[in-house]
């Protein structure tokens, strides 16, 4: 009997790490539901790329800060459940402890903690037993960088939440793990790292592998974690940073 094709839902999949993860999973034979908050054209372009790889995909709007407004539609895939949930969507906002604004704290918390928590909660009945959850964190939950106190701290809370997910969902055979990137050259933070060669050079000097990551370095790691054979890994933080700040 032929096994059912796996189906992944990836938040913030229209660009950067989410887009890369979607394409890597599609190459592995996984169908994809890609969510986006804005830039619908990028999401539709991703769908076409995935379809060109012979897989099925849909692009649907989702504001992670308002997960109660999201309705999961798996009908285009002929099934009622998803196998993988990748909580990737996010943004960064600067702020020292001494001057961070309350509205920035609220916005970061809504997208990076409350959103993944409540979206996961809402989708739990639709995640197939034996499935997997991947939450995206950051190296900044381990080491510090100026202006990232709130962002790094909230991601640290998400890492703790992931362990609770792993413990509570283990009886259903659902794994929950964290992928924690280091610096990556994407649109994140308005493309600051991607567009600033001197920053790239400085970060490369701090990194064991001697360069700054691209989105594909992280997308490949996400897809690898979701491949068959990794089902005994759960409750873990996996830093994908090239060995920065060792």
């Amino acid at each position: 009997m032929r096994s059912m094709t796996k189906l992944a839902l990836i938040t913030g999949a229209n660009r950067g790490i989410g887009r890369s993860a979607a394409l890597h999973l599609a190459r592995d034979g996984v169908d994809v539901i890609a969510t986006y908050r804005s830039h619908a054209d990028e999401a539709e372009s991703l769908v076409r790329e995935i379809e060109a790889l012979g897989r099925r995909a849909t692009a649907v709007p989702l504001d992670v800060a308002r997960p109660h407004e999201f309705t999961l539609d798996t009908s285009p895939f002929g099934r009622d459940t998803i196998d993988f949930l990748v909580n990737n969507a996010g943004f960064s906002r600067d702020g020292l402890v001494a001057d961070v604004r309350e509205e920035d704290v609220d916005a970061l918390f809504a997208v990076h903690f409350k959103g993944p928590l409540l979206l996961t909660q809402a989708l739990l009945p639709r995640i197939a037993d034996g499935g997997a959850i991947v939450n995206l964190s950051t190296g900044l939950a381990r080491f510090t960088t100026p202006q990232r106190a709130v962002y790094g701290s909230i991601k640290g809370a998400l890492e703790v939440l992931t362990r609770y997910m792993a413990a509570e969902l283990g009886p259903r055979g659902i794994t929950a793990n964290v992928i924690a990137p280091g610096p990556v050259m994407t649109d994140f933070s308005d493309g600051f790292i991607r567009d600033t060669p001197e920053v790239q050079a400085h970060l490369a000097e701090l990194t064991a592998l001697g360069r700054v990551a691209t989105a594909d370095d992280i997308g490949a790691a996400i897809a690898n974690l979701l491949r068959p054979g990794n089902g005994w890994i759960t409750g873990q933080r996996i830093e994908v940073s090239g060995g920065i700040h060792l």
Side-chain angles (χ1 to χ4, degrees):
M1 179 175 163
R2 186 179 177 183
S3 60
M4 181 183 294
T5 299
K6 300 294 186 181
L7 176 59
L9 187 151
I10 305 172
T11 65
N14 56 295
R15 56 173 57 182
I17 291 170
R19 183 185 190 92
S20 175
L23 290 169
H24 278 282
L25 284 167
R27 295 185 191 106
D28 284 349
V30 177
D31 293 335
V32 176
I33 299 172
T35 83
Y36 63 94
R37 188 181 65 84
S38 56
H39 303 286
D41 56 327
E42 295 175 347
E44 292 300 335
S45 173
L46 172 66
V47 168
R48 292 192 293 272
E49 285 189 58
I50 291 173
E51 290 174 343
L53 294 169
R55 300 308 331 151
R56 291 176 293 179
T58 59
V60 294
L62 166 65
D63 182 348
V64 173
R66 305 175 68 85
H68 57 282
E69 297 178 355
F70 179 67
T71 300
L72 176 64
D73 180 11
T74 57
S75 60
F77 305 92
R79 55 183 296 181
D80 297 323
T81 61
I82 62 173
D83 300 286
F84 308 134
L85 171 60
V86 181
N87 286 308
N88 164 77
F91 75 105
S92 182
R93 195 164 288 174
D94 294 348
L96 299 170
V97 171
D99 59 21
V100 66
R101 299 180 303 172
E102 183 177 359
E103 56 263 38
D104 292 337
V105 176
D106 291 342
L108 287 164
F109 180 80
V111 169
H112 291 286
F113 187 86
K114 186 173 74 171
L117 168 59
L118 295 182
L119 180 64
T120 301
Q121 179 190 70
L123 295 180
L124 279 180
R126 305 287 298 278
I127 300 175
D129 290 353
I133 298 167
V134 178
N135 293 324
L136 270 289
S137 180
T138 174
L140 297 170
R142 175 178 66 84
F143 53 83
T144 63
T145 296
Q147 301 281 346
R148 294 293 189 271
V150 176
Y151 175 74
S153 298
I154 290 173
K155 284 296 195 181
L158 181 65
E159 293 184 5
V160 174
L161 176 65
T162 303
R163 295 200 297 273
Y164 278 91
M165 288 181 179
E168 294 183 16
L169 300 178
R172 291 180 53 194
I174 296 173
T175 63
N177 291 289
V178 166
I179 291 286
V184 188
M185 293 186 289
T186 67
D187 295 298
F188 204 67
S189 293
D190 297 320
F192 175 68
I193 295 174
R194 180 198 61 205
D195 298 337
T196 315
E198 57 269 30
V199 171
Q200 295 174 30
H202 172 68
L203 293 171
E205 291 177 353
L206 302 175
T207 302
L209 293 181
R211 64 174 177 85
V212 178
T214 65
D216 275 342
D217 291 311
I218 316 304
I222 294 168
N224 182 61
L225 183 59
L226 295 174
R227 288 187 181 124
N230 289 324
W232 201 240
I233 301 172
T234 195
Q236 301 304 303
R237 177 190 191 273
I238 301 167
E239 185 169 303
V240 187
S241 67
I244 194 169
H245 291 306
L246 295 178

